[in-house]
Amino acid sequence: MGSKNMAERVEITAGDRPVREINQDIRGQVQAGKPIVVSNTMSRHNLGVGLPAGADILFKGSVGYYCGGLNDGARIHVTRDCGWGVGEAMATGHITVDGYAGMSAGASMLGGSIHVRGNAGPRCGVAMKGGDIIVEGSIGYLSGFMAHAGRIIALGGTDDAAGDSLWGGEVWVDGPIGSLGVDSKIIEPDSVEVESVEALLAQHGLDGSGRDWKKIVSAQRLWHFESRDARAWLMI
Amino acid sequence: MCGIAGRILEQPGLIGVDLVALMQAQAHRGSDSTGFALYGEPRQNSYIVRGVASDRRSLDQTLDEFSQTLRAHGSDFIEDPSWDSTAQRHVSLRMIVSELDVRAWLADADTQEGIEIQSVGRSLEIVKDLGISHEVSLKHSITDFVGSHGIANARMATESRVSPTASHPFWARPFPDIAIVHNGQLTNYFGLKARLQRQGYTFLTENDSELIAVWISDRLSHGLTLEEALQSSVGELDGVFTYIISTPTQIGMAKDRWAIKPLAVFTHEQEMATATEEQAVRKLYTDEVPISNLDGPGYSTTWDVLPAAGG
């Protein structure tokens, strides 16, 4: 994904330094127009939050909670795993995660895209309002929970309760679905939609052709709450 | 949103050093109190009792009464009790007592005013106090403790009072050597507590985490393995939880079916480090080791403590 040669990147070390200081260094280099590599990431939280368009940052290692949160156009690449809420509430831009994307990846995101090369944990795309999450592996329990809009595309199946309480988003699955969540259903995608998903995958170097797509959407029964339907909300 | 941790060393060593580091890295998750359950060299024919006396000014009288109850149960101090040397009102006590029937003795000892028993064990010692990790460690010399394994907690109090006694870890009263730390809240606490009380169990606090320790230990006393007891707790306990429980030979964890409360773990041969936050585990392993996140719903597992050489 347009990764710059390491030698061209300005190196910032995370280690034990205060996160505010690390993020100020990142912001300074972004303003100077320099691509960045952050080393010794040590699973630290809140790295690279709220970065603007033009920022190009590589996290060499695993990061903690909310990496790339509130992203406003940056291209972010994490070479290992992410903790809770990678790209939370991002507006635009792109995040690539080479490893496991943790819990609540892309929570409440509004736009942009997240590409996970490994698996994503529970509640992937929870409450998302737009944008795309592409996961080459599987997505965890309750993925897509209460998503309003946007697409989650899982190429390696899902855990249980897929698309639980979906409002308006879509969960596209190739591979086994553990179980469907409350008020979600599988529908047959039309050819225009499939082409759109294939084109999106192609942008990220993935082959979308010949896949056995199952598109999960809201069954819309819970759009209007009626007390007689209360049992439908109860999953335990 | 407490922070919890567990640690098993490959061989007995400065277990407190690692647990203090794991908790200091998670101090932001709860600064009301911090506590440690540490397993040292197991004793023969005696128990280590850890407790808190509520008033330093009447300590002599409190210890007097305490030893009378011990003697009434055919036991006694076999070393002079020791305690913290601060000027604070409450006193953290460490007492070594000779063989006794723990359950029968507790029925009397727990009625004594002015002292609360926080742990009893052949090897377990629970040390907990107000403040963050390094404060509690400084006061109680946690980093000097030599042992094989232990668990720890940084508490942000939600549903019961802030005091040394209401801090984690909790001892599984009256089962020697079993302790728990917990991140979450139970919603069927009162029903389960009433059921256990009818079976004769007593509780020192109003804390739901103390209940889990006793509930699991009760299951173990009925012949379940720790693995079986942990898995059955996933269906029986209602609410939000990820907890870590420790025995002389194992550390185990379980999380509820919603899987909200995180836990990260690194294992290498017999060594294990686990914490709510992955960044805490990395304080012990600075070379980018692979850390697993136990994120699945209803997940439980155990780790074995290597028996000490010659043990």
Side-chain angles (χ1 to χ4, degrees):
Chain A
M1 297 314 302
S3 283
K4 306 259 185 315
N5 189 320
M6 284 292 186
E8 299 169 24
R9 293 181 177 272
V10 175
E11 182 167 341
I12 294 170
T13 298
D16 283 335
R17 299 166 63 213
V19 71
R20 182 183 296 256
E21 205 178 288
I22 304 165
N23 278 332
Q24 279 168 347
D25 286 358
I26 290 171
R27 200 160 274 274
Q29 295 300 341
V30 166
Q31 276 163 4
K34 304 271 179 54
I36 299 161
V37 55
V38 178
S39 59
N40 202 16
T41 49
M42 300 296 283
S43 306
R44 296 293 302 279
H45 300 325
N46 308 317
L47 294 174
V49 169
L51 294 178
D56 177 353
I57 181 161
L58 177 76
F59 290 100
K60 203 163 166 291
S62 290
V63 295
Y65 298 174
Y66 305 120
C67 180
L70 301 170
N71 186 7
D72 200 19
R75 298 191 71 81
I76 295 170
H77 186 159
V78 179
T79 66
R80 293 186 62 180
D81 302 338
C82 289
W84 187 291
V86 59
E88 191 189 57
M90 69 187 267
T92 179
H94 178 75
I95 300 175
T96 303
V97 180
D98 288 348
Y100 172 65
M103 290 198 264
S104 307
S108 302
M109 68 189 276
L110 302 161
S113 52
I114 298 176
H115 174 194
V116 180
R117 295 208 164 102
N119 297 328
R123 295 177 296 281
C124 172
V126 56
M128 67 192 284
K129 312 292 192 298
D132 296 297
I133 302 175
I134 301 144
V135 180
E136 293 189 35
S138 65
I139 53 176
Y141 173 71
L142 274 175
S143 281
F145 183 59
M146 295 190 81
H148 288 217
R151 282 179 296 192
I152 301 169
I153 300 160
L155 304 183
T158 80
D159 198 344
D160 287 335
D164 194 284
S165 307
L166 268 178
W167 223 242
E170 300 172 1
V171 182
W172 289 64
V173 184
D174 184 16
I177 293 174
S179 64
L180 275 182
V182 168
D183 199 33
S184 61
K185 63 177 182 183
I186 298 173
I187 60 169
E188 196 65 35
D190 67 36
S191 60
V192 176
E193 291 172 323
V194 171
E195 275 169 29
S196 159
V197 167
E198 285 179 1
L200 177 69
L201 291 174
Q203 278 177 37
H204 298 285
L206 297 168
D207 183 5
S209 63
R211 291 186 183 268
D212 177 23
W213 290 119
K214 292 166 283 283
K215 181 186 169 192
I216 304 172
V217 297
S218 172
Q220 302 183 6
R221 208 154 56 87
L222 298 176
W223 275 19
H224 307 284
F225 180 77
E226 305 244 5
S227 56
R228 67 172 177 270
D229 291 333
R231 295 185 71 79
W233 290 85
L234 300 175
M235 50 175 298
I236 51 177
Chain B
M1 115 128 209
C2 306
I4 57 177
R7 176 72 165 144
I8 298 173
L9 295 177
E10 206 157 20
Q11 53 191 1
L14 292 172
I15 185 72
V17 170
D18 287 358
L19 283 168
V20 168
L22 286 165
M23 295 324 298
Q24 190 57 33
Q26 301 188 99
H28 56 275
R29 296 190 70 92
S31 53
D32 286 331
S33 60
T34 308
F36 303 88
L38 305 157
Y39 290 81
E41 175 83 16
R43 306 182 70 89
Q44 309 289 329
N45 308 319
S46 57
Y47 287 105
I48 309 153
V49 178
R50 284 282 194 164
V52 169
S54 56
D55 193 341
R56 197 171 294 268
R57 295 166 302 185
S58 53
L59 182 59
D60 286 350
Q61 190 196 333
T62 304
L63 285 172
D64 237 28
E65 277 179 46
F66 194 82
S67 73
Q68 279 169 31
T69 311
L70 278 173
R71 285 198 294 275
H73 286 266
S75 173
D76 206 346
F77 294 134
I78 57 175
E79 290 175 17
D80 286 337
S82 56
W83 54 87
D84 69 281
S85 56
T86 64
Q88 287 170 323
R89 174 73 68 88
H90 67 278
V91 188
S92 299
L93 290 160
R94 181 178 192 267
M95 298 166 283
I96 312 295
V97 305
S98 53
E99 196 65 40
L100 83 174
D101 177 341
V102 173
R103 191 183 289 242
W105 162 69
L106 274 177
D108 288 334
D110 277 346
T111 62
Q112 184 185 334
E113 296 285 324
I115 186 165
E116 289 174 331
I117 297 162
Q118 292 182 332
S119 71
V120 176
R122 304 279 187 203
S123 59
L124 168 69
E125 299 190 41
I126 291 180
V127 186
K128 50 190 186 179
D129 215 324
L130 307 185
I132 63 170
S133 183
H134 76 247
E135 294 166 349
V136 174
S137 175
L138 268 179
K139 180 176 167 189
H140 298 283
S141 306
I142 303 295
T143 51
D144 294 341
F145 195 97
V146 174
S148 50
H149 63 296
I151 58 177
N153 170 286
R155 178 168 186 244
M156 189 189 76
T158 50
E159 287 168 30
S160 66
R161 70 197 173 113
V162 175
S163 77
T165 302
S167 310
H168 298 228
F170 285 101
W171 171 43
R173 191 178 231 86
F175 298 95
D177 291 303
I178 301 179
I180 196 168
V181 289
H182 167 214
N183 177 19
Q185 294 86 28
L186 294 192
T187 47
N188 60 344
Y189 166 71
F190 291 101
L192 288 176
K193 185 175 181 179
R195 201 186 306 167
L196 286 167
Q197 281 173 325
R198 281 198 297 277
Q199 293 173 44
Y201 292 109
T202 56
F203 296 88
L204 193 57
T205 70
E206 299 287 314
N207 191 296
D208 52 358
S209 315
E210 185 183 16
L211 176 118
I212 304 175
V214 175
W215 191 91
I216 289 281
S217 302
D218 176 66
R219 300 284 83 212
L220 296 178
S221 75
H222 283 84
L224 263 65
T225 64
L226 183 59
E227 289 79 359
E228 291 165 344
L230 290 167
Q231 197 51 51
S232 68
S233 79
V234 172
E236 295 288 325
L237 304 178
D238 192 36
V240 185
F241 56 85
T242 290
Y243 65 84
I244 304 176
I245 193 159
S246 55
T247 76
T249 54
Q250 285 180 303
I251 289 180
M253 64 73 62
K255 76 194 307 179
D256 69 275
R257 289 165 289 173
W258 289 93
I260 288 276
K261 301 290 189 183
L263 197 68
V265 63
F266 171 71
T267 56
H268 175 69
E269 295 173 357
Q270 290 298 318
E271 207 171 304
M272 185 278 285
T274 186
T276 302
E277 296 186 7
E278 184 173 308
Q279 56 89 14
V281 177
R282 294 208 185 278
K283 297 286 180 189
L284 303 186
Y285 299 94
T286 53
D287 52 353
E288 281 283 335
V289 295
I291 291 175
S292 308
N293 284 272
L294 309 181
D295 287 345
Y299 187 81
S300 67
T301 191
T302 61
W303 301 278
D304 291 339
V305 179
L306 191 68

